[in-house]
Amino acid sequence: MLSNLCTDLANGTLSGMPAHRTARERARAELTAAIKDEARRQLGEQGADGLSLRAVARELGMVSSALYRYFPSRDDLLTALIIDAYNALGATLEKAAAGADAPRERWRAACHGLRAWGLANRHEYSLIYGTPIPGYRAPQDTVTPATRVPAVFIGALRDAWRAGEVKPPFKGPEMSPELRRQVGIVRAQLAPDVPEEVLARGLIAWVQLFGMVGFELGGQFANTVDPADEFFTHTVEQMTLFVGLG
Amino acid sequence: MLSNLCTDLANGTLSGMPAHRTARERARAELTAAIKDEARRQLGEQGADGLSLRAVARELGMVSSALYRYFPSRDDLLTALIIDAYNALGATLEKAAAGADAPRERWRAACHGLRAWGLANRHEYSLIYGTPIPGYRAPQDTVTPATRVPAVFIGALRDAWRAGEVKPPFKGPEMSPELRRQVGIVRAQLAPDVPEEVLARGLIAWVQLFGMVGFELGGQFANTVDPADEFFTHTVEQMTLFVGLG
DNA sequence: CAAATTCGAGAGCACCGCTCTTGACTCCTC
DNA sequence: GAGGAGTCAAGAGCGGTGCTCTCGAATTTG
């Protein structure tokens, strides 16, 4: 349990700062970071399946068993990479959105930012949004970083609504009470003043966006709209209109 | 090469019929089927990663090396399962669509059929539409069966157009010449009379649909629209309207 | 019947995640 | 400053994986 605390500190999962009171702690923090870096490198080359603890240890010039002092299992190492990936993507989107002024431009920027990040870090993208790794259950630690990504989109939509800039182009079907309730959960947390109908459209566009990036990464567009740059841009415009941000 | 022919025959990948001239050929065909069945069983339990040639052989009471007489590698076994999955899904959707009369109802039926099949066969769904297995390249044999699935949707859209039932609810952005050309590839093959604008909307809805099923299977809807029945139905209606099939 | 082909079985290679033990090292406390 | 507590890298080892090769037996073919 003391060792767990140290691991948490080294992983940066606690809000407390490094401290590094002793040389041992500093060495531990550095080695933990080196392991994650090498693991991320291997992840980028061969994907999650190709990530081998033994290979990481080999590359770092140590024996495989030594690595278990830093990450109790392969899954724990993967969890650390997942958290880092969520944070990296979240930061990227926040930055991309911050570059635009009007809410609707922030929405567009976030869409294009997501695709760009996914194409540049396809294995990390697959790690967080791809087929779940069998037998792996994401621990609670991943929830908070994961929230940063949708927050960018919902934030843009919320601000657009407040500025009176959201006008859906056609009337959709009625929402059932249960669906209203479910959408209301998100609403209560992030956008209490936006109507459920608008949030539901945003959610549809959100899913469409991730479907598109997933299809492109999976090569499902082969022989049709591949390369997908034009289709992506066109679809973002269509879905932006659909949401009412056009 | 002769053995390849026999394998192809046993797999049913050639259009020729069994023949079974000798007892050996019959035994080979039966064992090949048994291997695929057991592999499919294990796939359904633990996913593609959990599929082990040794475990399949063990379960069938044979030695692992004997299995290589039937499938030259694990990837070949996976390929056979992929082809079967495409065909099973394709047949399911064709049947679901055939149950409806009006084209727009066939479209809806295909949407709901896809989700139902994906939920009932999640690992097979992931095999064909999930994150690509690293290092695995789908051979040409998978292309034709894969085409059956989109053909159902495009067929419904085409028939609806011919019946004059397609009316997009709002004018979208202009399509670039390059995007027109890309969409035109699909158009030329399956729906030569449907305008590119309509096909592009259909493609957007298509991607949205797979994004939704993928999100649901991946548990991405947790704590929001989960269970996703209501959201799925609502979104299908929205996207059906978006395409102009409403 | 004899030759050619196909088959199951076994041994073996290199890799994997993970566990346990051992001996050396560092740190904290008396 | 010396000891004990805690931490560390290393090694051996377990059971698992995909895959290759060889060998003798069975079956099909001529």
Side-chain angles (χ1 to χ4, degrees):
Chain A
M1 30 205 78
L2 187 63
S3 78
N4 284 346
L5 178 64
C6 288
T7 302
D8 289 342
L9 278 169
N11 287 345
T13 52
L14 287 186
S15 49
M17 264 297 84
H20 287 329
R21 290 187 29 256
T22 72
R24 225 216 274 278
E25 284 182 12
R26 178 165 37 245
R28 180 177 186 87
E30 281 177 12
L31 234 182
T32 304
I35 292 170
K36 283 207 294 184
D37 284 348
E38 174 60 25
R40 196 170 4 252
R41 208 188 55 77
Q42 291 192 15
L43 179 78
E45 281 188 354
Q46 314 188 38
D49 280 8
L51 176 60
S52 146
L53 283 190
R54 289 182 115 108
V56 170
R58 200 181 308 128
E59 207 67 23
L60 262 51
M62 60 169 99
V63 115
S64 68
S65 58
L67 225 149
Y68 286 84
R69 298 240 175 234
Y70 299 86
F71 295 95
S73 76
R74 186 177 174 277
D75 278 3
D76 289 270
L77 178 53
L78 272 180
T79 299
L81 294 182
I82 286 174
I83 292 174
D84 286 358
Y86 274 128
N87 279 321
L89 173 59
T92 300
L93 295 192
E94 286 161 11
K95 198 171 166 184
D101 199 23
R104 64 162 61 97
E105 294 308 321
R106 278 160 52 199
W107 176 279
R108 283 191 176 89
C111 289
H112 286 275
L114 177 80
R115 174 176 182 246
W117 190 88
L119 290 180
N121 309 78
R122 52 176 56 216
H123 289 117
E124 290 186 74
Y125 182 94
S126 297
L127 198 60
I128 55 182
Y129 294 117
T131 305
I133 292 132
Y136 173 83
R137 263 202 69 72
Q140 200 62 20
D141 317 22
T142 62
V143 172
T144 307
T147 310
R148 289 177 67 178
V149 179
V152 176
F153 290 86
I154 297 185
L157 184 57
R158 173 192 4 96
D159 293 348
W161 173 261
R162 288 177 181 166
E165 296 172 356
V166 181
K167 305 207 190 308
F170 66 95
K171 190 175 169 319
E174 286 293 322
M175 291 174 67
S176 73
E178 169 63 9
L179 183 54
R180 285 200 122 79
R181 190 192 63 78
Q182 291 178 328
V183 173
I185 297 174
V186 180
R187 189 168 110 109
Q189 290 174 352
L190 289 171
D193 47 354
V194 181
E196 282 98 345
E197 279 80 1
V198 173
L199 279 178
R201 283 179 184 256
L203 183 53
I204 291 173
W206 158 269
V207 173
Q208 212 285 334
L209 174 66
F210 281 80
M212 221 171 1
V213 175
F215 259 36
E216 187 170 7
L217 289 182
Q220 307 276 2
F221 285 147
N223 300 325
T224 56
V225 291
D226 179 49
D229 304 69
E230 309 249 357
F231 176 68
F232 184 86
T233 302
H234 180 260
T235 302
V236 166
E237 292 309 306
Q238 280 280 32
M239 296 309 289
T240 304
L241 283 172
F242 171 83
V243 173
L245 285 170
Chain B
M1 30 205 75
L2 186 65
S3 80
N4 282 345
L5 178 65
C6 288
T7 302
D8 289 343
L9 278 169
N11 286 347
T13 53
L14 287 187
S15 49
M17 263 297 84
H20 287 331
R21 290 187 28 255
T22 72
R24 194 177 247 163
E25 283 183 12
R26 178 165 38 246
R28 183 181 182 84
E30 281 177 12
L31 234 180
T32 304
I35 292 170
K36 282 207 294 184
D37 284 349
E38 174 61 24
R40 199 175 354 258
R41 207 187 57 76
Q42 291 192 15
L43 178 78
E45 282 188 354
Q46 313 188 37
D49 281 7
L51 176 60
S52 146
L53 282 190
R54 290 181 113 109
V56 171
R58 201 181 307 128
E59 207 67 22
L60 262 51
M62 59 168 99
V63 114
S64 69
S65 58
L67 223 147
Y68 285 83
R69 300 247 177 229
Y70 299 85
F71 294 94
S73 76
R74 186 177 174 278
D75 278 1
D76 289 87
L77 178 54
L78 273 179
T79 299
L81 294 181
I82 287 175
I83 292 174
D84 287 357
Y86 274 128
N87 279 321
L89 173 59
T92 300
L93 294 192
E94 286 161 11
K95 198 171 166 185
D101 198 23
R104 65 161 62 97
E105 293 308 321
R106 278 160 52 202
W107 175 279
R108 282 190 176 90
C111 289
H112 286 276
L114 177 80
R115 172 174 183 247
W117 190 88
L119 290 180
N121 310 77
R122 52 176 56 218
H123 289 116
E124 291 185 74
Y125 182 93
S126 297
L127 199 59
I128 56 183
Y129 294 116
T131 304
I133 291 126
Y136 173 83
R137 263 203 70 71
Q140 200 63 20
D141 319 20
T142 62
V143 171
T144 307
T147 311
R148 290 177 66 178
V149 179
V152 175
F153 290 86
I154 297 185
L157 185 56
R158 173 190 8 94
D159 293 348
W161 173 260
R162 287 177 181 166
E165 295 173 354
V166 180
K167 306 208 189 308
F170 67 94
K171 191 175 169 318
E174 286 293 321
M175 291 174 67
S176 74
E178 167 63 10
L179 182 55
R180 285 199 122 80
R181 190 193 64 78
Q182 291 178 327
V183 173
I185 297 174
V186 181
R187 189 168 109 111
Q189 289 174 352
L190 290 170
D193 47 354
V194 182
E196 281 98 344
E197 279 80 2
V198 172
L199 278 179
R201 282 177 184 257
L203 183 51
I204 291 173
W206 158 268
V207 174
Q208 212 284 334
L209 174 64
F210 281 80
M212 220 172 2
V213 176
F215 259 37
E216 187 170 7
L217 289 182
Q220 306 277 2
F221 285 147
N223 300 325
T224 55
V225 290
D226 179 48
D229 304 69
E230 310 249 358
F231 175 68
F232 184 86
T233 301
H234 179 261
T235 302
V236 166
E237 292 309 307
Q238 279 280 33
M239 296 310 288
T240 305
L241 282 172
F242 171 82
V243 173
L245 284 170

